[in-house]
Amino acid sequence: MKRTLLALLLAATTSLTAAQSGGTLNGLTVSGTVSGPLPAQARIGGFTMDPGGQPVSELASVPVTGSRFSIDLPSVLPPQRTLVQLRPDAIFWPGVLEPVTVQGQASIAELRFYVYGDGNGNGRRDDTEGLQETSAFVGKSVLVVSFASSASQVGAARGFQANLKPGWNGLLIDVGRAVKVTSSGTVNGVTVNTQR
C-alpha cells in the first residue's frame, strides 16, 4: 500500500514539475449566458473541485451582467489537493463508457461553474455567500472543463477521444450513437443553467 501511494505521489510530482518547467500552460476563456434564477449582485465563478466533487477554491469569477458573462481562467496550476493521477477509473465525464484508455503521465483536475450573490461587493466569494451549482452546455454538447499537467489523451467506447493540452481544456462532449469531443481554448455561446 505504501509503495503504491509513493509511486502515485512520485508520478504526480513528476508530471507537475514537467508542467512547471516545460513552460506553457493554457488558460481558457468561457463566455455565454446564465439562465434560471439569479441572486442579487450575481457573480459566476469557476471553482476547482476535490476528488469527492466538492468545490475547493475560486479560480476566477466575473459579475453576471444582463444574464451575460465572459470569464478567463488563468494559466495556473490548481491547488494540489484537487489533482488526481490520470487513470481510466478517474474519468467521470459524460459519454465515457468502458473500455477507457489513457495516454500520458498527467495529473488532472476538474472545474465547475457556480453562481453566488456577492453581498458585500468585494468581487469574490466569502464563506457566508452560498453557492448555486450549474450545468453548462453549448447547444446539445455538455461543457467539461478539465486541467491537465501535461499533454494526454482519453479514449472510450463509441468513438470517445479527448486530447488534453497542458493547462485548462474546454471539452464539448456530444453524446449520441457516437460520442464527439471538441476541444477549444475559447468556448463561446455557453448556456449556464442554474436550474439543474
Side-chain angles (χ1 to χ4, degrees):
M1 180 70 173
K2 287 183 179 178
R3 286 183 181 173
T4 304
L5 286 173
L6 183 59
L8 287 173
L9 285 172
L10 181 60
T13 303
T14 301
S15 56
L16 286 177
T17 302
Q20 289 171 317
S21 64
T24 311
L25 292 175
N26 293 293
L28 178 68
T29 299
V30 177
S31 62
T33 58
V34 180
S35 67
L38 291 173
Q41 296 174 277
R43 291 183 73 84
I44 183 167
F47 286 77
T48 55
M49 311 297 290
D50 70 18
Q54 297 300 310
V56 171
S57 65
E58 183 180 60
L59 187 68
S61 69
V62 293
V64 179
T65 307
S67 81
R68 301 198 63 79
F69 73 94
S70 181
I71 188 167
D72 293 316
L73 304 178
S75 54
V76 296
L77 289 167
Q80 182 70 39
R81 64 184 169 134
T82 66
L83 292 160
V84 296
Q85 193 66 22
L86 178 63
R87 307 183 314 267
D89 62 348
I91 307 295
F92 302 104
W93 302 333
V96 174
L97 300 172
E98 293 183 347
V100 181
T101 60
V102 299
Q103 295 178 15
Q105 296 291 317
S107 294
I108 61 170
E110 183 180 356
L111 180 136
R112 293 183 195 160
F113 293 104
Y114 288 82
V115 169
Y116 61 92
D118 185 15
N120 60 10
N122 67 353
R124 65 177 184 276
R125 190 231 171 201
D126 297 311
D127 291 341
T128 57
E129 296 166 343
L131 290 176
Q132 209 172 342
E133 193 171 354
T134 68
S135 53
F137 294 86
V138 175
K140 297 185 302 179
S141 299
V142 179
L143 172 62
V144 170
V145 178
S146 182
F147 174 88
S149 61
S150 58
S152 50
Q153 296 83 39
V154 177
R158 292 165 47 192
F160 187 104
Q161 185 66 41
N163 297 310
L164 302 175
K165 297 177 294 187
W168 291 102
N169 295 265
L171 304 175
L172 296 175
I173 303 176
D174 188 356
V175 180
R177 288 188 180 180
V179 182
K180 181 182 177 186
V181 182
T182 306
S183 179
S184 177
T186 301
V187 184
N188 298 314
V190 177
T191 299
V192 173
N193 194 334
T194 61
Q195 296 176 314
R196 288 177 57 84

